[in-house]
Structures are given as structure tokens and as C-alpha cells.
Amino acid sequence: MHELDPISKLRLCHRDDHGPPVNVTCNIFINSFGSIAETTMDYRVNIFLRQKWNDPRLAYSKYPDSSLDLDPSMLDSIWKPDLFFANEKGANFHDVTTDNKLLRIFKDGTVLYSIRLTLILSCPMDLKNFPMDSQTCTMQLESFGYTMNDLVFEWLENGAVQVSEGLTLPQFIMREEKELGYCTKHYNTGKFTCIEVKFHLERQMGYYLIQMYIPSLLIVILSWVSFWINMDAAPARVALGITTVLTMTTQSSGSRASLPKVSYVKAIDIWMAVCLLFVFAALLEYAGVNFVSRQQKEFLRLRRRQRRNHKEEEGRFNLAGYNMSQCMPTKDGSAVKNAVPAPNPQRSTPKDIDAMRKKFVDRAKRIDTISRAAFPLAFLIFNVFYWITYKIIRHEDVHKQ
């Protein structure tokens, strides 16, 4: 160990002045992956970050062991890459029960540095197909202070990204293939090395199917019950219509509570809007039925008003004829004693009233009969287009990308 002390305490530059850049090989092991939040568009991950590079100054030959495991406190005495996570929102080390760090030096001066981290990383999401969407979350590892003239990151050739066995996510399925690549950054301070891994996540919509789609579907079907209720039962039909509208509004608000306020329309928004439209249309349908059925009463009221007007006109005509008859004698010298009465409008017989009422009631019942078939058929057509669009067409487009 005495052979390492003078070198480890020097803390010299990581390379010679005119030497090649130091290659740092990285790999990560994922312990847990979860807490993917749509509102903040980030995810939480717990990893082992392993970095390996060669520092000839740390080579040794006096010890028989092929490698030496040093105390983590020695990390402050040797050079380390200045790696940071470019899309990090928050991070913390682990020190229970001791610092979760590993420092291992091999005979040829190769250094293995492993550390356990919990990271909150940014993950911009496209929620147009939510909750039938697929997301791609990245993890970017970048050098903070050393340009590519001094330091280069690269992924381990085999097993660059390993995942703990049995790792499951609450709402997503992580595809086995991990896309590795480079994300070299160009700033006005220089060109900095950067490597990235992309995690492809496919959302499972079982939760949303049970909590949102099926309840809203049942509410829409419940609103159709009013078509079979007698149109004279106004309190029952109005109460059912208003209840379904309010329930659907609450359901729609709940679906947006856990989502960010984005400007575009999501798949769940279209579903909720159409369901709300159907239950509102069912309420308006009864308003139309009630209006048509009451047209008979309005018609009779109009007839009574016309008869009343005719009576008033008849009275005025009789009065005028009586006055004129006193002044205008006939050829034989006799005066007209009585004026000719105005024709009396025919009164509606009870039979006519019943026939008229039946006509308007049948017309209102026909609206209910048509609605019993039209509403379910229209909703079925919407479902066919909706599920084909989002589960087949757009799903294939996302996979092609």
C-alpha cells in the first residue's frame, strides 16, 4: 500500500499534457424503476453506476493480489471523472449502513468505481394517445468540466445496461431492448462527451379501463334507460338525465386530475367528451319529447283564443248592424230589426280533441322509439372508430417510430 500513497496523494491531472483523452467505460445496473409521473414528466430510478478507466500512476507490482479494494475515503485522494446526469431533476447518495461506494484498483492501474444512486430524471412525454401510449425515457451521462480532448465516455460492450430480475412497473412494461447511443454536447465552452440510454415503456391500460372507461360506458348506457320510461313521468326522466350528466362531469374531471395541463387533446379526453355528449343528448331528447307531446295543449289553447276573438268580433258586428237598422228603412218602409249574425266557428268535439292529442302523443313516442335504436348504434360506431384508431393505427405508428 506504501507504493500507492505517493501517487494517490498527488491528485495530479488525469492525463499527460499531450496524451490521448482518457476513455471511461460506463455501465449501470438498475435496482428499481418506477414512480413515473405524468404531471411532472419525470421518473425515479435506483441504480449502480460503474465507471472504469486506466490511470498508469496507480499501477502496482509488489502485491500478489490482482486487485485491491480500497476504503471509499481514498476517493478524495485520486482523480475521478466528473460525470453528471444531464436530465437529472434530483439525486441522492446512500449511506446506510455505510457509504454505498466501491473503489477497486487493478495491477495495471485500471480503476473501478461503483456507486449506488437514486435519481429523478426528466422524461418529456407525448400524451396524445394516453392511456394507450408508449413513452421513451432517456438517461444521459455527461462530463461537466472536461472536454472531449481530455475525457471520453463510452458504454461497456457487453451488458452496458442490466436490469434486476423480476423488476416490474405498476403501469408500464419495459421492453428488453435498450437503445444505447451518444449525445455529444456542444457549448460555447467546448465539446463535451455524453452517452445516453433510452428506455422504451409501453403503458398497460388495465387501471384506466377499470377506473374510467367501464364506469363511463355504464353511465352512458344508464342514460338510455330514460327512453323506456313513460314520457309522462317527467320527474323520473329529468332526475335520471341530470344525474348521469353530473356523474359524467365528475368522472371527466377525475380523469384529468392526474395529468398535466397540456394544450393538445388526449385519447381519454375524446372518450370523456363523447360520453358526456351522449348523456347530455339523452337529457335533451326528453326535452324534445316533452315539447312535442305538449303541442296538443298549445293547439287547443290557440283554438280557444281564436273562438274568443270571433265572439268579440261577432258582438261588435251585431251592435253595429242594430244601430244601422234604425236609420236605414227598406223599400216597403219597414226597418230591419235584427242584423245577420256572423258565422260561428265550429267547436272542437271531444272526439276531435282525443284524435288530436293521440296524434301528438304518437309523434312523441316515435321519437323515443327511434332514440332507443339510434343512440346505441351511434355509440357503437364511435367505439369502433375510437378503438381502431388508438389501439391499431396509432399504436403501429408509434412502434414504427
Side-chain angles (χ1 to χ4, degrees), residues 70-246:
L70 305 181
D71 189 86
S73 60
M74 292 290 292
L75 287 167
D76 295 332
S77 303
I78 65 172
W79 176 87
K80 303 182 297 297
D82 58 347
L83 181 147
F84 78 101
F85 293 88
N87 59 331
E88 171 217 330
K89 283 187 174 182
N92 63 280
F93 299 99
H94 294 269
D95 53 5
V96 179
T97 57
T98 60
D99 287 344
N100 294 172
K101 298 177 181 178
L102 168 67
L103 177 61
R104 181 176 295 168
I105 300 179
F106 296 87
K107 275 190 173 184
D108 61 350
T110 299
V111 181
L112 173 64
Y113 173 39
S114 178
I115 185 170
R116 182 177 172 226
L117 299 169
T118 295
L119 305 167
I120 299 175
L121 302 175
S122 173
C123 178
M125 301 180 187
D126 184 1
L127 300 173
K128 289 187 178 69
N129 295 342
F130 180 90
M132 294 164 279
D133 56 327
S134 297
Q135 303 297 337
T136 300
C137 293
T138 62
M139 177 187 293
Q140 295 183 341
L141 288 68
E142 183 181 346
S143 171
F144 185 80
Y146 295 112
T147 65
M148 293 191 70
N149 296 327
D150 300 323
L151 182 63
V152 173
F153 289 145
E154 58 185 20
W155 288 111
L156 188 67
E157 289 186 5
N158 297 319
V161 178
Q162 299 172 313
V163 180
S164 175
E165 290 186 10
L167 180 64
T168 57
L169 282 70
Q171 293 186 26
F172 292 87
I173 290 179
M174 184 188 296
R175 299 182 198 166
E176 292 185 3
E177 62 273 12
K178 314 293 187 302
E179 188 177 341
L180 305 177
Y182 294 89
C183 52
T184 304
K185 302 294 180 67
H186 298 265
Y187 304 110
N188 56 8
T189 53
K191 183 180 178 182
F192 294 86
T193 182
C194 177
I195 57 176
E196 68 177 0
V197 55
K198 294 182 179 180
F199 303 103
H200 299 286
L201 307 172
E202 187 171 344
R203 192 186 303 274
Q204 299 300 293
M205 61 173 300
Y207 169 81
Y208 299 95
L209 197 65
I210 296 172
Q211 296 293 327
M212 295 182 184
Y213 281 93
I214 292 179
S216 57
L217 174 66
L218 295 178
I219 293 170
V220 173
I221 295 175
L222 181 63
S223 68
W224 301 339
V225 174
S226 65
F227 303 149
W228 276 266
I229 299 177
N230 193 322
M231 62 183 176
D232 294 330
R237 293 190 66 164
V238 171
L240 179 61
I242 293 177
T243 301
T244 52
V245 168
L246 294 178

Side-chain angles (χ1 to χ4, degrees), residues 215-322:
S216 57
L217 174 66
L218 295 178
I219 293 170
V220 173
I221 295 175
L222 181 63
S223 68
W224 301 339
V225 174
S226 65
F227 303 149
W228 276 266
I229 299 177
N230 193 322
M231 62 183 176
D232 294 330
R237 293 190 66 164
V238 171
L240 179 61
I242 293 177
T243 301
T244 52
V245 168
L246 294 178
T247 306
M248 198 63 240
T249 304
T250 305
Q251 188 82 4
S252 179
S253 301
S255 67
R256 295 190 299 268
S258 60
L259 296 175
K261 296 177 177 63
V262 293
S263 58
Y264 50 82
V265 178
K266 302 177 287 295
I268 190 70
D269 294 336
I270 294 177
W271 174 267
M272 290 296 177
V274 172
C275 289
L276 182 59
L277 179 64
F278 267 89
V279 297
F280 187 69
L283 180 59
L284 292 182
E285 187 270 349
Y286 177 65
V289 168
N290 189 266
F291 175 78
V292 172
S293 65
R294 285 188 294 104
Q295 287 302 295
Q296 171 255 349
K297 297 179 181 178
E298 295 293 335
F299 186 75
L300 292 178
R301 191 178 296 116
L302 179 61
R303 292 284 294 272
R304 285 195 294 268
R305 189 179 302 116
Q306 289 177 348
R307 284 200 303 270
R308 193 181 306 115
N309 293 338
H310 277 293
K311 288 181 179 180
E312 292 176 358
E313 291 176 2
E314 179 185 350
R316 287 195 298 269
F317 178 78
N318 290 338
L319 181 61
Y322 175 76

